[in-house]
Amino acid sequence: KDEFVTHLKSISISNVSFDLTIEKTGVFIQGQDYSIELEDIKVDPSALELVNQAQLKLAGNLEVFDSASKTLKYGEIGLRGNAETQLFDPSTGDLDPDVTLDLDISDSSYLTTKVPYIEKVWAFGKKLEKYGINFGTLPEKAGFGRSRKIAGRYKRGRVDVTQDLSIVIHDWEVAVNDKSWLNSGSEQHEFFLDLSASQKSSQSLVGHIDRLLKNVPKEIRGGIAEEIKSKWLVNDKLTLSLHSEGALSKPKVKTLTVLPNVDDLIKDYARKGAVDFLFKQFGGKR
């Protein structure tokens, strides 16, 4: 018996527009001028675990609005790139796309800072102001940073991030790191976030630390400064790591970075210095 294998070279659709409301997340999306091309479609019903794939190319623009008003604009995102798709579930034979995404974000893309989630994260980061860091007010728009790419996996409404995705606010960058995920149907999520400052803001922190420690004895000043910097600086940039989970509209956000208590550090180092002094005086060994 000959095997039945479907092999289509390509299917193309152009000038596609669509409206999509994701009720639980409060988001309304308009897609415009989309072109979609499925290439090299191969399906073997008797061996779906081996022959069951297609290459997808897409390009177009998304406009994102608040779903309640459909007039409050959250941003525009231009996407272009490729995806590899498993079309059917190998165990059931049902159509169940499993898509690996690799999409470039256009230079003109942006999000407004009126997005509730951005406001929440920014307010959380302002806790650093007591350490001499000036966050300022949120600007109207935030652009995309780092790789300007959306890379991940989509299956049954869930998107798993496989490459950092970030936006830039003033000279700060908010990155959603790999291993983060979002379920678009239930708005449940788990994000691992880095809130990173520019070199200039990071140097402001270093200067603030030096001012805090100016009255600390020189013999322990350097150790305290290095301990604080080791907790806060990643590649010489002030970085606050956050964790966010639950419903995207009402996220539970907590800090993963331990914010050092300078007074406690001074006491600890002073205590250690006193112990070292006693050992030296009485000939002890550490």
Side-chain angles (χ1 to χ4, degrees), residues 5-137:
V5 178
T6 298
H7 184 187
L8 298 177
K9 186 175 181 181
S10 66
I11 299 174
S12 299
I13 306 173
S14 57
N15 297 321
V16 175
S17 298
F18 62 86
D19 293 345
L20 175 64
T21 299
I22 307 176
E23 294 181 353
K24 291 186 177 180
T25 57
V27 169
F28 172 65
I29 299 173
Q30 285 188 326
Q32 299 178 345
D33 301 323
Y34 261 85
S35 62
I36 302 170
E37 185 173 353
L38 275 171
E39 297 181 330
D40 198 21
I41 306 165
K42 297 178 181 178
V43 179
D44 183 350
S46 64
L48 289 176
E49 69 281 0
L50 298 175
V51 185
N52 173 21
Q53 64 271 341
Q55 301 298 317
L56 174 66
K57 291 183 178 180
L58 63 86
N61 297 296
L62 298 176
E63 292 187 319
V64 186
F65 298 87
D66 167 45
S67 64
S69 66
K70 295 186 179 179
T71 57
L72 175 58
K73 196 169 187 177
Y74 284 159
E76 295 183 11
I77 305 174
L79 297 173
R80 178 183 298 273
N82 303 311
E84 185 174 315
T85 307
Q86 178 180 275
L87 298 170
F88 298 91
D89 184 326
S91 60
T92 66
D94 296 334
L95 182 63
D96 187 16
D98 187 346
V99 185
T100 301
L101 300 166
D102 186 12
L103 304 175
D104 294 321
I105 301 173
S106 69
D107 292 341
S108 59
S109 298
Y110 70 91
L111 294 176
T112 73
T113 53
K114 294 183 177 66
V115 176
Y117 188 83
I118 293 177
E119 292 178 329
K120 177 86 173 183
V121 171
W122 190 253
F124 211 86
K126 286 176 76 70
K127 292 181 179 181
L128 289 176
E129 288 189 338
K130 66 181 179 180
Y131 297 99
I133 304 302
N134 181 19
F135 267 66
T137 58

Side-chain angles (χ1 to χ4, degrees), residues 1-2 37 58 87 107 110 123 142 152-153 165 171 174 185 187 205 225 236 240 247 251 258 268 281 285:
K1 181 180 178 180
D2 293 335
E37 185 173 353
L58 63 86
L87 298 170
D107 292 341
Y110 70 91
R153 180 186 178 195
L165 173 64
D171 56 356
V174 183
E187 77 158 332
L205 172 68
D236 295 325
L240 184 65
V258 177
D268 289 343
Q281 289 293 103
K285 293 182 179 180

